[in-house]
Amino acid sequence: QLKAFPKDFLWGSASAAYQVEGAWNEDGKGPSVWDEFVKIPGKTFKGTNGELAVDHYHRYKEDIALMKEQGLKAYRFSIAWTRIFPNGRGEINQAGLDFYINLVDELIANGIEPLVTLYHWDLPQALQDEYMGWESRQVIDDFVNYATVLFETFRGKVKYWISLNEQNIFIQLGYLMAVHPPAVVDPKRMYEANHIANLANASVIKKFHEMDMPGQIGPSFAYTPNYSFDSNPLNVLAAEDTEDIMANFWLDVYAWGEYPIFAMNYLKEQGVAPTIEPGDMALLKEGKPDFLGVNYYQTATHVFNPLNGVGMGKMNTSGKKGSSEETGMPGVSKKVANPFIDRTNWDWEIDPQGLRIALRRMTSRYRMPILITENGLGEYDKITETNEIHDDYRINYLSSHVKAIQEAITDGVTVLGYCTWSYTDLLSWLNGYQKRYGFVYVDQDETQNGSLTRYKKDSYYWYQNVIATNGEE
Ligand code: BGP
């Protein structure tokens, strides 16, 4: 017998500033690292960027009207730091702040709970130029200062805050795989920047609590649970080591203020462990979040990988199934296909049980409430001549994941809410506009040409019913 979803469960959906807003240089906004990065030829799919995106900046009322009609309970969005502080700090740009004041007011007026992400990857370029962004401890004060303005502005109005979105992703893709800014391959710099991001995250959470803010705050972690390919103990150990290096390495810090033992030893052996200064570990413990946010898309299955084995491969950003390269950590593990699991056209494994496993692992290790801040299916969608979008594949994906959440709740996990990725279609950082996630189709083709007209997909109506029945469908 499955337990029912809690009465006040936050049925939500999510987006991020750079991926939806557009208006990249309007009303005093300064450039972010992404505004600059997309100008480098070859960095994104066919040169797509978020300069116009889906023009949510000018169309937010229309988008919120669609949310209201659907019955959406919560909308997660991110604030662009460069709208508030065009150069990262200094004078507040009131016009930029006003946009978010209006957005939050409009959501609340329509009965939708705003869930605000402080940082979804769009670091002010000025701070990158001045002191190398996340590589300098100066970023900690600047981030706290920026967040404090938002806490003061939205005190009492915004009850759920996400500190950093997917620190594990922006750090690894930025400093190891070189596909996000600042696009370098340097593990030592990566772990240093990551440690500083941990300190910034803890500092902002600590500040939130010191200010006695009504509400809750936590980071969003991109959790890909790791499986062993089989019962060969070598492979089982490989999967456990991967879990330590790729997941516990962030989650243990958020929840406990400690780095996991095996992962840290591995980094020391590689000569890439971060520099820990006196006071750092105490600060990490003081910045304890109220919940853990999790972005769940897929699982990964591993075998042992010898020291001379495969390293970091290229990921599939083309949308051609099977085009991703082999990837692994020499001396630890290598990712292999899981014979029980199908994949998307971008080679992301579709594994609803993996979400239940993720929620249970996080709960048994940390015993904290969990907010699912992202989950969804990126696929090609077709619009018919009568403007319908029959995305049954997305409905299947989401509905099997909703079921897995209910199973996890029945198992004893505390889940505050569920945000699908994404509300409208939007820019996929590296995959352009052809990889769609939304309930709402946006007329924007892969060469960024389109009317930006919104159309409801079949999944829009499906979720409307999920919300109306509190998950019973
Ligand atoms: C997460 C990000 C989102 C979003 C999503 C889908 O990592 O937080 O911003 O983009 O993944 O990823 P993609 O666009 O690469 O398919």
Side-chain angles (χ1 to χ4, degrees), residues 8-15 67 70-77 107 110-115 160 371-372 416-420 423 439 463 467:
D8 52 355
F9 192 75
L10 295 167
W11 294 103
S13 192
S15 72
M67 294 174 197
Q70 191 187 32
L72 201 75
K73 303 262 190 234
Y75 176 54
R76 171 181 179 232
F77 62 92
L107 286 167
N110 284 283
I112 301 163
E113 187 79 57
L115 317 182
Y160 296 89
L371 179 62
I372 301 167
L416 303 172
Y418 173 62
C419 294
T420 68
Y423 194 70
F439 290 130
Y463 200 51
I467 300 169

Side-chain angles (χ1 to χ4, degrees), residues 23-133:
W24 74 290
N25 57 4
E26 280 181 47
D27 293 338
K29 180 181 172 297
S32 77
V33 291
W34 270 93
D35 289 318
E36 295 302 321
F37 182 69
V38 295
K39 292 182 186 152
I40 309 170
K43 289 295 183 194
T44 61
F45 179 77
K46 298 196 175 170
T48 41
N49 61 54
E51 291 182 7
L52 175 61
V54 297
D55 202 25
H56 178 69
Y57 192 78
H58 298 110
R59 293 173 183 249
Y60 71 93
K61 287 193 177 166
E62 181 187 345
D63 291 337
I64 293 173
L66 285 163
M67 294 174 197
K68 159 109 175 159
E69 184 190 332
Q70 191 187 32
L72 201 75
K73 303 262 190 234
Y75 176 54
R76 171 181 179 232
F77 62 92
S78 79
I79 292 185
W81 189 337
T82 53
R83 288 201 195 280
I84 314 302
F85 291 108
N87 296 313
R89 71 166 104 91
E91 290 268 296
I92 297 175
N93 173 42
Q94 193 57 43
L97 188 54
D98 284 345
F99 169 69
Y100 297 106
I101 294 175
N102 295 335
L103 181 67
V104 166
D105 286 347
E106 185 77 8
L107 286 167
I108 292 173
N110 284 283
I112 301 163
E113 187 79 57
L115 317 182
V116 174
T117 309
L118 294 171
Y119 183 79
H120 204 124
W121 306 353
D122 42 3
L123 186 80
Q125 180 66 41
L127 303 185
Q128 185 65 36
D129 294 341
E130 187 186 331
Y131 53 66
M132 311 257 277

